[in-house]
Amino acid sequence: MDINFSLYETFIFDFDGVIFDSNNIKKNAIREAVKGVLSDKKIVNFVDYFVGLNGIPREKKIAEYVPKKQYEFVLKKYESIIEVKLKSASLIPGVKGFIERLSRLNKNMIVLSGGTETEVIQLLTDRDLIDNFDGVYGGPMNKEENLQKLILARPVLYFGDSEVDYLVSKNNRFDFIFVYGASNMNDWANKIREWQIIKSINNFSDED
């Protein structure tokens, strides 16, 4: 990766698809959680909607499709499934070594996730990654809401795997690297032609 990382003052990492290979786990879990609640046709539409808005808190996405009476049931079922499955999720290739090397630059490093904040903190703790970060920010607040409460040293480099990540980066005038290897975006190759990004990478293995 031919980038001089020492020029940046802050590094932001999305979580799902950038640190953890967890997008498909969550996709399968939400499909399972709404079985018997939504019709088969609505399940297809809802799952597409859910994974298409990676980076948006699950609570807001579920509330858009699921009736109020069944909202808590679906949310708890989804969370019970991923609580088990995420423990065995793989890290994105090369990301642990890459994070540890960036950490030695003594710059600001944060995780900005659409996943539940306490869940992300626990998973990073379990993989001995938490000490590399100055902060972890997640749901139920969305990414823009979390950024509004932070004062970040600039310039900022953001690693993301979704259109939501790119738009957050663009809106806040951050540099952006798109990580596509475990992304849920099927049309990412076409999208990044329209985006202003620093680089696209499959994963972090070249840095390991």
Side-chain angles (χ1 to χ4, degrees), residues 46-98:
F46 173 62
V47 171
D48 287 345
Y49 165 80
F50 191 91
V51 301
L53 289 176
N54 276 0
I56 302 295
R58 66 192 61 156
E59 294 87 351
K60 296 182 180 181
K61 293 187 288 189
I62 291 172
E64 283 291 321
Y65 267 76
V66 175
K68 287 183 180 179
K69 290 182 179 180
Q70 293 158 306
Y71 169 84
E72 286 294 336
F73 168 79
V74 170
L75 180 62
K76 288 179 180 178
K77 186 174 181 181
Y78 172 74
E79 291 182 338
S80 68
I81 294 170
I82 63 172
E83 182 180 7
V84 175
K85 298 288 187 180
L86 286 178
K87 289 178 181 178
S88 58
S90 300
L91 293 175
I92 295 298
V95 73
K96 185 170 186 178
F98 182 72

Side-chain angles (χ1 to χ4, degrees), residues 1-5 198-199 207:
M1 209 181 296
D2 51 348
I3 297 169
N4 187 351
F5 293 107
I198 297 297
K199 195 167 188 176
E207 291 297 300

Side-chain angles (χ1 to χ4, degrees), residues 13 26 28 38 45 48 52 57-58 66 129 134 157 186 192:
F13 287 79
K26 291 187 172 183
N28 293 333
L38 301 177
N45 293 336
D48 287 345
R58 66 192 61 156
V66 175
L129 284 169
D134 300 290
L157 182 59
N186 294 324
I192 64 172

Side-chain angles (χ1 to χ4, degrees), residues 110-198:
I110 69 171
V111 174
L112 189 64
S113 176
T116 301
E117 192 170 296
T118 53
E119 174 185 289
V120 174
I121 290 171
Q122 186 59 57
L123 290 165
L124 290 170
T125 300
D126 292 344
R127 302 301 177 94
D128 297 322
L129 284 169
I130 192 69
D131 290 341
N132 295 288
F133 294 102
D134 300 290
V136 177
Y137 305 93
M141 296 178 72
N142 66 38
K143 294 188 175 189
E144 289 286 7
E145 290 168 342
N146 274 315
L147 282 174
Q148 286 172 12
K149 64 186 181 183
L150 301 176
I151 300 174
L152 299 177
R154 292 176 178 268
V156 178
L157 182 59
Y158 189 131
F159 297 89
D161 75 321
S162 70
E163 188 163 11
V164 169
D165 289 326
Y166 172 70
L167 292 174
V168 169
S169 177
K170 181 181 178 182
N171 291 342
N172 290 277
R173 301 188 304 278
F174 302 152
D175 285 349
F176 187 74
I177 291 178
F178 182 72
V179 185
Y180 61 81
S183 172
N184 269 330
M185 284 185 64
N186 294 324
D187 60 343
W188 65 266
N190 290 323
K191 283 285 187 181
I192 64 172
R193 293 193 185 103
E194 305 167 4
W195 295 353
Q196 295 177 329
I197 65 174
I198 297 297

